[in-house]
């Protein structure tokens, strides 16, 4: 399941952000009538279709695995979180319908209608991601039912969807999708600009991708702060794990880096900022932060994995913010980003950072909740299928993902090689 989620999330994230860039490119074509934007729109639309198709396959596998691997969880929680999954299905089919109209509607529908169909692809893709994230948020902060004799009663699906982590987790995930995809696309076109620096096709693509990815990266700390406060309020043990905080103390420091040692009950080699964790988690530098020692040892998640994954996520995000701010400063000064080969190389090398941050972030979310699948309600061990021979399923799905990955790489490489040539004569406007 972890491999399936780790694979699927890449395509889900691209499915959220790529349509937005595609629509912006088409809007610029309608506004300027520059052929390069039309060409860019069609290329990104084909790329979106490829990623959407693979995402649909891997998403189907995930749905299958929910029933196959977690029958007890689905039996117990299905009536509570069925609504966000149903709405996700509605959003997915909406996205598929309008993506079809968008791909095959050129010269067949009014240009404005065509643009609106693309916008609906972008909106439904984001909605699909939000509904799935809401279901996951419920697993972190379960709500919308009463627990009597171990059974959920008085079920309220709306309250379940409005669980305490729904807004903060969805906001953080959606912004991360735009940041990661924007940076990845910018990195790809930066690489192609290094080979062909005068091609306006890649110049325009670089600016649109950076506008999406850069803005998202810069505002992401705001959503991260909101989410961290939600975790502090509702999952203090997870907060202690990803911060490597063993002691319960007032004025707790913020630890940067370091390696948690559960035997010695401390995080070694960390740079500590006095009062930082109390201030960030509770808006009070002297607030008390519960450490891992305040909780039963058998309820601790794997502390080292959670802490290191959190540090990777934060580090990747900070690098993306620094690069974004630098690019925005160049834009404000009306300097052309694509004229700096050093910056293009940096963008190319940093293109996977957003996806690394997302994979690390989901590791924090899922591993940090252990040993619970539904926080403080159902343990993961109690939800897992007793079916033997899971290695067969694991091997089969792994082979499917390897096959799909190879297909995607081949198709996208073919797309890149087919990039059209629009020569920059020196007066190109971003």
């Amino acid at each position: 399941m972890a491999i399936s989620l780790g694979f699927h999330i890449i395509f889900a994230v691209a499915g959220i952000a790529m349509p937005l860039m595609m629509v912006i490119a088409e809007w610029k074509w309608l506004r300027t009538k520059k052929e390069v934007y039309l060409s860019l729109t069609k290329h990104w639309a084909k790329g979106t279709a490829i990623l959407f198709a693979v995402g649909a396959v891997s998403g189907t596998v995930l749905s299958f695995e929910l029933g196959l691997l977690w029958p007890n969880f689905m039996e117990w929680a299905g009536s509570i979180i069925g609504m966000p999954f149903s709405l996700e299905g509605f959003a997915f089919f909406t996205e598929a319908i309008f993506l079809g109209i968008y791909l095959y509607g050129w010269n067949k529908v009014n240009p404005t209608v065509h643009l609106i169909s693309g916008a609906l692809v972008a909106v439904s893709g984001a909605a699909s991601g939000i509904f799935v994230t809401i279901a996951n948020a419920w697993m972190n902060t379960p709500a919308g039912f009463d627990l009597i004799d171990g059974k959920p009663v008085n079920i309220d699906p709306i309250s379940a969807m409005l669980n305490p982590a729904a807004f903060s987790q969805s906001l953080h995930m959606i912004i991360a999708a735009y940041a990661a995809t924007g940076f990845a696309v910018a990195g790809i076109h930066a690489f192609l600009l290094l080979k062909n620096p005068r091609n306006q096709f890649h110049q325009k693509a670089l600016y649109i991708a950076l506008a999406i990815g850069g803005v998202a990266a810069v505002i992401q700390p705001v959503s991260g702060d909101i989410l961290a406060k939600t975790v502090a309020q509702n999952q203090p043990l997870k907060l202690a794990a990803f911060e490597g905080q063993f002691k319960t103390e007032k004025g707790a420091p913020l630890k940067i880096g370091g390696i948690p040692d559960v035997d010695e009950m401390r995080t070694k080699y960390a740079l500590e900022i006095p009062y930082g964790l109390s201030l960030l988690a509770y808006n009070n530098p002297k607030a008390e932060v519960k450490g891992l020692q305040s909780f039963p040892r058998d309820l601790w998640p794997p502390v080292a994995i959670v802490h290191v994954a959190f540090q990777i996520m934060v580090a990747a995000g900070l690098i993306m913010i620094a690069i974004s701010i630098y690019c925005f400063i160049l834009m404000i000064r009306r300097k052309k980003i694509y004229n700096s080969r050093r910056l293009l190389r940096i963008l190319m090398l940093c293109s996977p950072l957003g996806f690394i941050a997302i994979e690390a972030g989901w590791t924090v979310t899922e591993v940090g909740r252990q040993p619970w699948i539904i926080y403080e309600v159902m343990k993961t061990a109690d939800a897992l299928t007793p079916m033997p021979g899971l290695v067969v399923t694991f091997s089969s799905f792994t082979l499917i993902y390897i096959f799909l990955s190879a297909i995607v790489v081949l198709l996208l490489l073919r797309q890149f090689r087919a990039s059209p040539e629009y020569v920059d004569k020196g007066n190109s406007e971003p």
Side-chain angles (χ1 to χ4, degrees):
M1 190 77 183
I3 290 178
S4 296
L5 180 60
F7 181 84
H8 175 70
I9 200 169
I10 294 172
F11 299 95
V13 162
I16 291 171
M18 280 301 299
L20 178 59
M21 289 189 280
M22 179 181 79
V23 169
I24 290 175
E26 184 178 8
W27 172 74
K28 289 185 77 71
W29 170 63
L30 292 173
R31 192 171 66 90
T32 64
K33 298 302 178 186
K34 291 182 177 179
E35 195 71 16
V36 62
Y37 286 118
L38 175 61
S39 183
L40 181 58
T41 303
K42 291 186 175 180
H43 264 71
W44 276 351
K46 289 178 182 175
T48 300
I50 294 169
L51 297 171
F52 177 84
V54 177
V57 173
S58 57
T60 302
V61 171
L62 266 178
S63 302
F64 177 67
E65 286 181 332
L66 272 176
L68 176 68
L69 303 179
W70 308 102
N72 297 333
F73 167 74
M74 292 306 294
E75 180 183 1
W76 198 95
S79 58
I80 307 173
I81 58 170
M83 185 174 287
F85 281 127
S86 301
L87 292 173
E88 192 275 336
F90 175 77
F92 170 77
F93 288 120
T94 303
E95 184 181 6
I97 291 168
F98 283 100
L99 181 59
I101 294 173
Y102 194 84
L103 290 173
Y104 297 101
W106 292 102
N107 303 320
K108 296 177 182 175
V109 299
N110 181 289
T112 302
V113 173
H114 191 267
L115 181 67
I116 291 173
S117 68
L120 289 173
V121 174
V123 171
S124 53
S128 180
I130 288 171
F131 288 129
V132 168
T133 307
I134 285 175
N136 182 269
W138 178 85
M139 294 163 68
N140 290 318
T141 56
F145 65 94
D146 294 323
L147 191 62
I148 298 178
D149 296 330
K151 302 289 184 183
V153 296
N154 302 324
I155 293 170
D156 182 350
I158 301 298
S159 295
M161 286 187 64
L162 299 176
N163 66 79
F167 171 74
S168 54
Q169 198 172 321
S170 299
L171 180 67
H172 197 58
M173 184 65 236
I174 293 300
I175 294 176
Y178 293 124
T181 308
F183 255 77
V185 174
I188 290 169
H189 288 282
F191 168 71
L192 295 170
L193 277 168
L194 285 169
K195 299 172 67 176
N196 188 3
R198 295 179 64 82
N199 191 343
Q200 285 189 27
F201 179 84
H202 300 306
Q203 294 172 1
K204 306 298 184 188
L206 179 67
Y207 271 89
I208 294 175
L210 268 181
I212 299 295
V215 170
V218 170
I219 66 174
Q220 182 66 315
V222 177
S223 72
D225 180 64
I226 295 171
L227 180 56
K229 287 180 169 57
T230 303
V231 174
Q233 187 70 31
N234 297 281
Q235 295 178 286
L237 177 53
K238 179 188 283 188
L239 177 77
F242 69 62
E243 293 290 353
Q245 181 70 26
F246 285 91
K247 291 190 302 182
T248 295
E249 60 182 324
K250 294 181 178 178
L254 179 68
K255 295 180 178 62
I256 299 176
I259 301 173
D261 187 328
V262 294
D263 294 326
E264 296 187 15
M265 296 288 183
R266 67 189 184 98
T267 299
K268 298 179 178 177
Y269 317 119
L271 173 64
E272 296 190 356
I273 300 176
Y275 307 105
L277 180 55
S278 292
L279 179 63
L280 289 175
Y282 298 102
N283 290 330
N284 179 355
K286 296 184 179 178
E288 181 180 275
V289 176
K290 282 190 175 181
L292 288 156
Q293 293 175 350
S294 295
F295 301 91
R297 181 67 181 83
D298 61 338
L299 296 183
W300 289 15
V303 180
I305 293 175
V306 177
H307 179 71
V308 171
F310 181 72
Q311 296 295 317
I312 290 173
M313 179 188 71
V314 172
L318 290 175
I319 294 171
M320 292 166 68
I321 291 171
I323 294 172
S324 300
I325 291 174
Y326 180 66
C327 289
F328 292 150
I329 290 173
L330 291 181
M331 291 181 190
I332 291 171
R333 293 180 177 177
R334 296 188 175 277
K335 293 186 177 180
K336 296 173 180 175
I337 294 172
Y338 47 79
N339 283 344
S340 170
R341 294 185 65 81
R342 178 179 297 177
L343 181 55
L344 291 177
R345 289 192 189 96
I346 291 173
L347 286 169
M348 179 189 70
L349 293 173
C350 292
S351 61
L353 280 183
F355 288 103
I356 291 172
I358 285 176
E359 297 286 1
W362 274 100
T363 300
V364 173
T365 299
E366 295 303 297
V367 179
R369 193 182 56 242
Q370 300 308 311
W372 305 99
I373 189 170
I374 307 172
Y375 188 63
E376 294 185 337
V377 174
M378 176 184 281
K379 288 190 174 180
T380 305
D382 298 328
L384 188 62
T385 178
M387 184 183 79
L390 286 177
V391 67
V392 176
T393 306
F394 173 78
S395 302
S396 302
F397 288 147
T398 301
L399 288 174
I400 289 174
Y401 295 141
I402 293 172
F403 173 74
L404 287 175
S405 299
I407 295 295
V408 169
V409 170
L410 288 173
L411 290 174
L412 292 181
L413 284 175
R414 186 176 176 182
Q415 278 285 103
F416 300 147
R417 292 193 186 103
S419 299
E421 181 82 21
Y422 291 89
V423 177
D424 177 9
K425 298 179 180 178
N427 58 351
S428 172
E429 294 295 332

